[in-house]
């Protein structure tokens, strides 16, 4: 392969996360120099093991920095000499905490801290991992096709995670407008992220919607429908948004085609992977929400992003998790 990226350095925050590890894997396969932050360097071995599972043998292009989103310490070192920053880290717990600030403060202040140090270090572009949470929670789903024009209203009562992602993204755009001084920003808004687990690194989306269903742990079948996207495609869209000239100043929804209810997910697993599904005890939902429509047209058109199907993403999760049952 032509070695075109060898002189470009990228910081990926949150290397211990489900999405973070897939982004690092793709960047290393594409010959970028990669720096990553983790809250504790003791988790370095988990990252190395996962990357080895993903086919990386040479780690000379990867370095590690200990940094927390709520503290200034070490961020200057982490962004030093970086061309790009992919700010992926943000708290994503399976259950909302009692105090919403446990999520809002690291999400918002972490994003602002990253933008500030990136601007001061002369980084070209930051790509922020936001969420569909910042897009689609204030508008009636009926007859509405969600696009990047839509925003969740953070001034009304919302679950803490949804609020944290909305406030963090709003604050980031405001920073760029008022204090960016030429720093570029592009934002990715993924729906529920699934796809293969490497090195045992999972996330709340997989723990609830894949392990929860396969192990029969869910008390009831939630009535909402969700968009699904494969983690490999979310990693790919971050890299595309990092490099594409037209991605500057834009947000991109990352979703495969269509949405699914938990009932649909259980049905898919029962049909396609009957060998894993003896524990499933999903009942028909009591009432179904409207199947919302979410457009991925902008990412397809501008970034030439071509995601896998939602079925492929979910089955890849089930297959990779199955060895742990
Ligand atoms: P994840 O596996 O839980 O990753 C979250 C990452 O953030 C971990 O590396 C975690 O580090 C780090 N983090 C949390 N709080 C931190 C803090 N105070 N300081 C430094 N690092 C901190 O979840 P994920 O799915 O990969 O999420 C990655 C990003 O995608 C997040 O921004 C999330 O909001 C967004 N997203 C996820 C989904 C989804 O369905 N998974 C959908 C849309 C958007 P530790 O390992 O130390 O906890």
């Amino acid at each position: 392969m032509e070695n075109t990226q060898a002189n470009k350095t990228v910081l990926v925050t949150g290397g211990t996360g489900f999405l973070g590890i897939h982004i690092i894997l793709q960047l290393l396969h594409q010959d970028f120099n990669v720096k990553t932050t983790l809250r504790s360097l003791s988790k370095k071995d988990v990252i190395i093991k996962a990357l080895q599972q993903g086919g990386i043998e040479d780690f000379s292009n990867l370095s590690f920095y200990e940094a927390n989103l709520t503290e200034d310490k070490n961020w200057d070192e982490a962004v030093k000499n970086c061309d790009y920053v992919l700010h992926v880290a943000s708290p994503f717990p399976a259950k909302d905490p009692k105090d919403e600030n446990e999520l809002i403060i690291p999400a918002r202040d972490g994003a602002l801290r990253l933008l500030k140090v990136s601007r001061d270090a002369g980084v070209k572009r930051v790509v922020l991992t936001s969420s569909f949470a910042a897009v689609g929670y204030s508008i009636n789903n009926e007859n509405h096709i969600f696009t990047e024009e839509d925003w969740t209203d953070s001034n009304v009562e919302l679950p803490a995670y949804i609020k944290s992602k909305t406030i963090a993204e709003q604050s980031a755009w405001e920073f760029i407008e008022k204090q960016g001084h030429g720093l570029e920003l592009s934002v990715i808004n993924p729906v529920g992220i699934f796809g293969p687990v490497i090195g045992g690194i999972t996330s709340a989306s997989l723990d609830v919607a894949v392990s929860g269903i396969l192990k029969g742990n869910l008390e009831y079948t939630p009535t909402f429908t969700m968009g699904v996207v494969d983690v490999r495609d979310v990693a790919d869209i971050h890299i595309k948004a990092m490099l594409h000239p037209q991605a500057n100043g834009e947000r991109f929804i990352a979703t495969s085609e269509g949405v699914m209810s938990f009932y649909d997910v259980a049905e898919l697993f029962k049909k396609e992977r009957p060998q894993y599904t003896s524990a499933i005890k999903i009942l028909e939902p009591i009432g179904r929400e409207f199947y919302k429509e979410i457009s991925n047209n902008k990412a397809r058109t501008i970034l030439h992003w071509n995601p896998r199907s939602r079925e492929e993403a979910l089955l890849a999760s089930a297959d990779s998790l199955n060895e742990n049952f």
Side-chain angles (χ1 to χ4, degrees), residues 34 74 86-87 99 161 175 222 266 285 315 322:
V34 180
N74 291 343
L86 305 185
H87 179 40
D99 179 1
Y161 174 72
F175 177 93
L315 293 173
N322 184 47

Side-chain angles (χ1 to χ4, degrees), residues 153-180:
D153 178 1
S154 59
N155 296 313
V156 300
E157 199 160 315
L158 285 167
Y161 174 72
I162 292 175
K163 210 168 176 177
S164 76
K165 296 303 286 182
T166 308
I167 291 174
E169 190 189 332
Q170 280 168 338
S171 307
W173 286 120
E174 206 177 301
F175 177 93
I176 286 295
E177 193 192 322
K178 297 190 177 145
Q179 304 173 58

Side-chain angles (χ1 to χ4, degrees), residues 136-203:
Y137 285 83
S138 301
I139 294 155
N140 191 336
N141 291 341
E142 197 179 3
N143 299 326
H144 184 77
I145 301 175
F146 286 93
T147 70
E148 290 79 0
E149 297 295 313
D150 294 314
W151 272 94
T152 298
D153 178 1
S154 59
N155 296 313
V156 300
E157 199 160 315
L158 285 167
Y161 174 72
I162 292 175
K163 210 168 176 177
S164 76
K165 296 303 286 182
T166 308
I167 291 174
E169 190 189 332
Q170 280 168 338
S171 307
W173 286 120
E174 206 177 301
F175 177 93
I176 286 295
E177 193 192 322
K178 297 190 177 145
Q179 304 173 58
H181 304 311
L183 173 66
E184 297 183 357
L185 176 66
S186 176
V187 169
I188 306 299
N189 301 83
V191 295
I193 306 176
F194 298 93
V197 170
I198 52 169
I201 301 178
T202 68
S203 75

